Amino acid sequence: MDVTIRGRNVEVSDGLRATAEEKVTRLSRHLDGWEHAEIHFSEEKNPRISAKEVCEVTVWGHGHVIRAKAASSDAFASVDRVIDKLEHQMEKLKSRIQSRSHPRRPVDSGHQNRLPTGDEAADSDESPSNESKIVKTKRFDIKPMTPEEAALHMDLLGHDFYFFTNADTGTAAVVYRRNDGDVGLIDAN
């Protein structure tokens, strides 16, 4: 696995770098085939926040993107917490993949569902003249999938919504987290 480590306004020591790289690389024991991981360290500047050391890890592979973020008073503890979160998400993904390939599972309606290969994020410096401004732009491949698969990706990324192409209808769709904790679906006409 290719691992990139960056510190945002914080110095990453050699010991922290080695520990983080080793623990993230070890994640592949849960599910082989993870291609790339990015580890970002940052520090909260608010003096009232005791959990100042933040670690965010994004892992790409198998056509999936998994992201987790954790904070604590020590950078090494933040790494441990984020690894725990990633292990949980990978086990969830692994069981989902295994249940999908189970021989007694009913055959889908003939659609081959492919999952997104990841997203390429690029910050944008352009802003419209009104009060709202776009501060970040993300571009990613949209592949057909079922709403259930889209909801799984939304959970794995830790987002409140997920944009995808509905394999059942062939149109653009969004799944989103409702206030009651359930998932909603918006499908284009």
Side-chain angles (χ1 to χ4, degrees):
M1 179 187 311
D2 179 35
V3 179
T4 305
I5 301 173
R6 293 191 178 112
R8 198 173 316 138
N9 298 326
V10 68
E11 185 68 30
V12 181
S13 69
D14 292 337
L16 180 59
R17 184 178 299 272
T19 300
E21 185 172 354
E22 183 226 330
K23 289 187 178 194
V24 168
T25 304
R26 229 182 315 144
L27 287 173
S28 62
R29 73 175 185 251
H30 295 284
L31 196 60
D32 290 332
W34 294 103
E35 301 161 2
H36 181 70
E38 284 186 7
I39 305 170
H40 293 275
F41 290 99
S42 61
E43 185 176 314
E44 292 288 340
K45 299 298 182 191
N46 188 337
R48 292 183 287 181
I49 297 175
S50 62
K52 291 182 181 232
E53 302 296 328
V54 179
C55 179
E56 182 176 359
V57 179
T58 307
V59 183
W60 289 270
H62 296 289
H64 300 278
V65 180
I66 297 177
R67 181 176 296 129
K69 183 177 182 179
S72 75
S73 58
D74 177 48
F76 289 94
S78 296
V79 170
D80 290 339
R81 286 183 182 176
V82 81
I83 294 298
D84 289 343
K85 288 180 179 183
L86 287 170
E87 285 175 344
H88 176 73
Q89 290 178 358
M90 285 183 178
E91 287 299 324
K92 187 174 171 182
L93 176 62
K94 183 178 179 179
S95 67
R96 176 70 182 219
I97 290 171
Q98 287 173 345
S99 70
R100 204 178 328 152
S101 64
H102 194 276
R104 284 184 263 170
R105 185 171 187 263
V107 177
D108 204 5
S109 62
H111 294 293
Q112 180 179 355
N113 297 322
R114 284 175 263 142
L115 302 171
T117 58
D119 58 346
E120 298 173 24
D123 290 333
S124 175
D125 293 332
E126 301 176 26
S127 62
S129 59
N130 61 6
E131 293 179 43
S132 299
K133 69 178 186 175
I134 298 172
V135 295
K136 187 171 186 177
T137 302
K138 288 189 175 187
R139 291 181 175 85
F140 55 93
D141 295 331
I142 299 177
K143 305 268 171 78
M145 66 178 66
T146 64
E148 291 78 18
E149 287 175 310
L152 173 68
H153 282 278
M154 177 182 69
D155 288 340
L156 291 173
L157 289 171
H159 289 175
D160 292 329
F161 69 93
Y162 191 81
F163 182 72
F164 67 104
T165 300
N166 192 333
D168 299 332
T169 63
T171 60
V174 175
V175 289
Y176 63 96
R177 177 83 45 213
R178 295 170 41 96
N179 289 339
D180 61 4
D182 290 333
V183 175
L185 171 66
I186 300 174
D187 217 344
N189 287 334

